Amino acid sequence: MPPYTEAVRKALQSANDPAAAADLLFLEAWEMHRFGNLGALLRAGQLRRANPVLVAEIEAELKAS
């Protein structure tokens, strides 16, 4: 799945391993379509707390489009 937002494209440039890249793509997917299983909710919560600036950038881009 390619990144849809410029914020995630930029963040992927500094992702230093496949797991970090997967986390960034998951976070973007979560912001686009908040799916409802408990594991996804917990993972998204951790990623959102660890990346508040990126979350704000993704949300702004999604609202603008």
Side-chain angles (χ1 to χ4, degrees):
M1 175 170 85
Y4 292 96
T5 61
E6 187 61 31
V8 172
R9 278 188 207 98
K10 287 180 185 176
L12 283 170
Q13 292 174 357
S14 63
N16 48 2
D17 64 55
D23 283 344
L24 293 170
L25 292 170
F26 173 85
L27 181 58
E28 182 184 60
W30 173 264
E31 293 300 327
M32 293 173 68
H33 312 283
R34 295 188 180 203
F35 28 98
N37 75 42
L38 182 58
L41 177 65
L42 293 173
R43 182 178 180 198
Q46 288 178 323
L47 292 170
R48 288 176 59 86
R49 283 189 298 280
N51 300 287
V53 173
L54 179 59
V55 169
E57 291 173 354
I58 293 170
E59 288 176 345
E61 281 189 60
L62 293 175
K63 287 179 185 175
S65 63

